[in-house]
Amino acid sequence: MCMSCLRPCRDCLCFREVKRLVRIAFLGITGILMALQLKALKPDYSVYLCLGVSLLIFSFVAEKLSVIMDGLAAIQDCLPLKAGYIQTLMKIIGITYIAEFASDLCKDAGYQTIAGQIQIFGKLSVLAVSIPVLTALLDTIQTFLGG
């Protein structure tokens, strides 16, 4: 019995997600081992192999977005939030994941400077997207303080 969803373990969503995670982990480990072997012969090709494995894993991540969107819609139905807040949250999450993914690929290829610039741009993008939410929060605080 799964303690989080109270279903038989082999039928529950948690068990299937763990199985998928193990598959993705093995895919990543296999890609790294192949890249290490290839690095001795053709170093450039090992970078391409790592890029290909990373993009393949990222495609599995993209499949999870529908599950996340359904969960956020359920949260929005339960809480009295404006739709703009959930959309802003999704934008922030997307910016963060894309910036991290691109930055890690640049680091793996040996371009730490470009990776740092991508991280800075990602952080500034998150700040820019979150300004309306911050403004609404400050307006709410000002209203409570009687200003």
Side-chain angles (χ1 to χ4, degrees), residues 2 27 32 44 53-56 58 61 66 71 87 100-102 108-109 113 116 124 135 137 139 143:
C2 178
L27 175 66
I32 293 298
D44 295 341
V53 170
S54 296
L55 289 173
L56 184 62
F58 191 73
V61 170
S66 64
Q87 291 172 349
E100 186 74 21
F101 179 73
D108 289 344
T113 305
L124 290 174
T135 305
L137 176 64
D139 287 342
T143 302

Side-chain angles (χ1 to χ4, degrees), residues 126-146:
V126 166
L127 181 62
V129 168
S130 65
I131 290 289
V133 175
L134 181 61
T135 305
L137 176 64
L138 291 175
D139 287 342
T140 303
I141 292 172
Q142 187 177 18
T143 302
F144 282 138
L145 293 177

